Amino acid sequence: MTQQYPDAQQLNNSIKIGNTPIGSNHDVYFIGELSVNHQQSIDIALNTMREIKNAGAQAIKLQTYKAESLTLNVDNNDFIIAQNSTWDGKTYYQLFKENEMPWEWHQTLFNAAKDLNLHIFSTPFDQQGVELLQSLNAIAYKIASYEIRHLPLIKQVAETGKPILISTGIANKEDIQRAINICHKAGNHQIILMKCTSAYPATPETLQLNHITQLQQQFRTPVGLSDHSYSTDKQQLVIAPMVATTLGAVVIEKHVILHRSMQTADSQFSLDPNELKITIDAIRNVRKTMAEPETQNYQENSDYQNNDYQWNGREAAQTGGRSVYIAQDVPKGGAITTQNTAIVRPGLSLHPKHYQNILGRKTNKPLKRGDRISLHDLA
């Protein structure tokens, strides 16, 4: 028998990163990615963390690796980067060695994040990285898109039982399904797929954000966006995260750099603190416009029969709503007619949906012109 796994709707309120629920019923979870923007300075890393918190993000994400665990230190053509990126011409080993974050920083950064009440987790690239992060009680893990075929790594991460964000940049459908299956087999269903374009920086025409909807439908998991796009135009800057949010993205990840003047391997597609705040504020506003209709627009009136509802007076007045009022004095026992009632503004009295049903009914008390009418006023 095929095992049935929970789908995205079921997981909307069950996946949590730390104590923060992830899903369409909650604020978009925003991650500031430190990546290589520390420039080998722990002070820069700590200051960047503070700015990420101040901008309103819920989390900072690190990268936990050593160059030796990622590639070979050779310089033949296979190991020279040629991806139409800012890194072209370097060997993979050079790139990773220049930008690896010292492992001894992890404890300091985790402690600082705790003091800031900022979530912190990382992308590991090997068994030792996972073990280090487990020793620090990381609350979640990210699988980089280039690691989606590293099945032993995914299995090890899944077995931690922590939420897993899996980037899909270079993956095909089979790669994604294989990674999900490994997580499920390990008993871990806390999976968030991250739509990602593995171009650095990514241009608008390469983003293909409609894939967010496809990922949701095909794999029945919550989906986020790991965004490598950038624009100096502040309006263009927020387009990708805003569109992703309207398409149902529940997590947004952006690289963050402390100062725009800094030159790093990731600086061309990283946000500075002000740009980060602009982006987060824009996303928060998008979610407000998409909120479910407020039930407070209607309130139960205990005087009505059959659990009927009276229009909320303030709302009805604002929208010009109408209701049934007494237009001429009616004595006790008098009949309700079209002459002694009117459907008028405001909407503080009986809902007009009852009008035809109350015509001809007798009153059980005298009613004066301008009185509200309730079903309980009728025999």
Side-chain angles (χ1 to χ4, degrees):
M1 178 182 295
T2 302
Q3 187 173 359
Q4 296 298 311
Y5 299 116
D7 64 19
Q9 282 300 109
Q10 292 172 301
L11 288 170
N12 258 340
N13 296 307
S14 62
I15 292 182
K16 290 184 177 182
I17 298 180
N19 292 321
T20 302
I22 306 298
S24 59
N25 297 330
H26 308 285
D27 281 342
V28 170
Y29 188 82
F30 205 102
I31 303 167
E33 162 71 83
L34 177 63
S35 185
V36 303
N37 289 330
H38 48 75
Q39 287 195 318
Q40 299 293 315
S41 166
I42 194 167
D43 288 336
I44 290 176
L46 290 168
N47 287 332
T48 305
M49 179 186 296
R50 295 185 191 102
E51 294 293 348
I52 287 171
K53 171 66 177 180
N54 291 338
Q58 292 99 323
I60 181 172
K61 191 185 73 65
L62 315 176
Q63 293 186 5
T64 302
Y65 67 84
K66 293 182 178 178
E68 291 78 10
S69 66
L70 278 169
T71 190
L72 300 177
N73 186 11
V74 294
D75 59 2
N76 67 39
N77 287 339
D78 285 356
F79 292 86
I80 296 176
I81 300 172
Q83 300 176 346
N84 194 28
S85 71
T86 59
W87 314 321
D88 285 12
K90 293 179 179 286
T91 67
Y92 287 105
Y93 184 85
Q94 287 172 332
L95 175 67
F96 299 139
K97 195 65 179 177
E98 290 171 3
N99 293 289
E100 65 185 11
M101 190 182 80
W103 282 31
E104 57 269 22
W105 289 8
H106 282 71
Q107 184 69 69
T108 300
L109 295 176
F110 270 67
N111 291 344
K114 183 177 180 180
D115 291 341
L116 289 169
N117 194 28
L118 181 70
H119 291 166
I120 184 169
F121 56 98
S122 188
T123 302
F125 291 82
D126 59 19
Q127 177 182 340
Q128 291 72 33
V130 177
E131 291 172 352
L132 171 64
L133 294 170
Q134 275 296 92
S135 73
L136 296 168
N137 196 29
I139 60 173
Y141 288 88
K142 172 83 180 293
I143 299 294
S145 69
Y146 284 96
E147 305 303 311
I148 198 167
R149 297 170 183 169
H150 192 337
L151 304 184
L153 176 67
I154 294 173
K155 179 176 182 290
Q156 184 186 10
V157 169
E159 288 173 346
T160 68
K162 303 293 180 62
I164 309 172
L165 295 85
I166 303 177
S167 273
T168 62
I170 68 164
N172 58 33
K173 183 177 180 180
E174 290 72 25
D175 291 327
I176 298 170
Q177 190 63 66
R178 195 177 294 114
I180 290 174
N181 290 345
I182 287 174
C183 294
H184 287 327
K185 189 174 181 180
N188 193 329
H189 307 299
Q190 300 184 85
I191 304 165
I192 302 167
L193 294 179
M194 298 291 287
K195 167 67 181 81
C196 170
T197 299
S198 294
Y200 309 92
T203 56
E205 59 271 17
T206 65
L207 292 178
Q208 299 178 314
L209 295 180
N210 279 332
H211 286 171
I212 290 171
T213 303
Q214 294 177 14
L215 290 169
Q216 291 167 334
Q217 294 172 347
Q218 289 178 358
F219 301 105
R220 310 299 294 169
T221 67
V223 176
L225 173 68
S226 182
D227 182 22
H228 303 138
S229 65
Y230 179 74
S231 173
T232 56
D233 183 326
K234 296 301 185 278
Q235 291 183 330
Q236 296 292 322
L237 182 74
V238 299
I239 285 179
M242 289 178 69
V243 170
T245 301
T246 64
L247 292 172
V250 296
V251 177
I252 302 291
E253 178 186 44
K254 290 287 291 189
H255 286 63
V256 182
I257 194 164
L258 189 58
H259 300 293
R260 177 56 52 204
S261 60
M262 293 168 55
Q263 296 298 313
T264 74
D266 292 351
S267 57
Q268 287 192 19
F269 52 91
S270 298
L271 304 182
D272 69 22
N274 182 58
E275 293 166 338
L276 178 64
K277 188 176 190 311
I278 289 171
T279 303
I280 294 174
D281 288 347
I283 291 171
R284 299 282 185 258
N285 286 331
V286 167
R287 288 308 292 267
K288 289 177 184 177
T289 68
M290 297 172 64
E292 292 296 323
E294 292 187 4
T295 57
Q296 289 89 337
N297 286 351
Y298 299 93
Q299 62 183 12
E300 187 172 355
N301 184 336
S302 59
D303 290 337
Y304 282 9
Q305 297 175 347
N306 302 321
N307 294 320
D308 196 7
Y309 289 83
Q310 179 182 12
W311 297 0
N312 178 287
R314 181 186 61 181
E315 182 71 16
Q318 290 173 344
T319 58
R322 294 178 181 242
S323 58
V324 183
Y325 275 86
I326 298 300
Q328 297 177 6
D329 292 355
V330 183
K332 180 178 179 180
I336 297 296
T337 68
T338 57
Q339 287 73 39
N340 59 24
T341 56
I343 300 174
V344 294
R345 301 179 187 181
L348 299 175
S349 189
L350 185 68
H351 196 298
K353 69 182 181 180
H354 296 289
Y355 191 60
Q356 292 300 319
N357 292 331
I358 67 172
L359 292 176
R361 291 179 64 177
K362 308 288 186 179
T363 65
N364 55 29
K365 66 178 185 181
L367 296 170
K368 294 183 178 181
R369 175 181 169 85
D371 280 353
R372 299 180 189 180
I373 185 169
S374 162
L375 296 178
H376 285 295
D377 296 333
L378 306 176

